[in-house]
C-alpha cells in the first residue's frame, strides 16, 4: 500500500524539473519576441527620423 507522503514526494520530484524546463522555454521565447519587437520599433524610428531630416 502506498503512503500519501510517498505519492506527494514523487509528484513533486517529477513536477519540479518539468516546471524548470517550461520556465526556460517561456523565457527564451519571450526574449526572442521582445528582441523582434524592439527591432521593428527601431526600424520605424529610423524611417521616421530619415523622413524628418529630408524635410
Amino acid at each position: 500500500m502506498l503512503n500519501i507522503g510517498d505519492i506527494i514526494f514523487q509528484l513533486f520530484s517529477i513536477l519540479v524539473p518539468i516546471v524548470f524546463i517550461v520556465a526556460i522555454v517561456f523565457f527564451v521565447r519571450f526574449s526572442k519576441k521582445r528582441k523582434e519587437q524592439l527591432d521593428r520599433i527601431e526600424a520605424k524610428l529610423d524611417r521616421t527620423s530619415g523622413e524628418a531630416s529630408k524635410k
Side-chain angles (χ1 to χ4, degrees):
M1 184 168 163
L2 290 175
N3 190 0
I4 191 76
D6 293 338
I7 294 171
I8 292 172
F9 177 76
Q10 287 183 353
L11 286 174
F12 186 75
S13 297
I14 291 170
L15 289 178
V16 168
I18 291 173
V19 168
F20 186 69
I21 291 169
V22 168
I24 291 173
V25 169
F26 276 123
F27 178 75
V28 169
R29 289 181 68 198
F30 175 77
S31 296
K32 184 179 176 184
K33 286 183 180 182
R34 177 99 172 154
K35 183 182 179 328
E36 290 171 356
Q37 183 181 24
L38 289 173
D39 289 343
R40 287 193 308 268
I41 292 171
E42 185 179 358
K44 287 180 183 179
L45 284 173
D46 288 343
R47 284 195 310 261
T48 56
S49 66
E51 291 172 2
S53 64
K54 290 180 183 178
K55 291 182 179 180

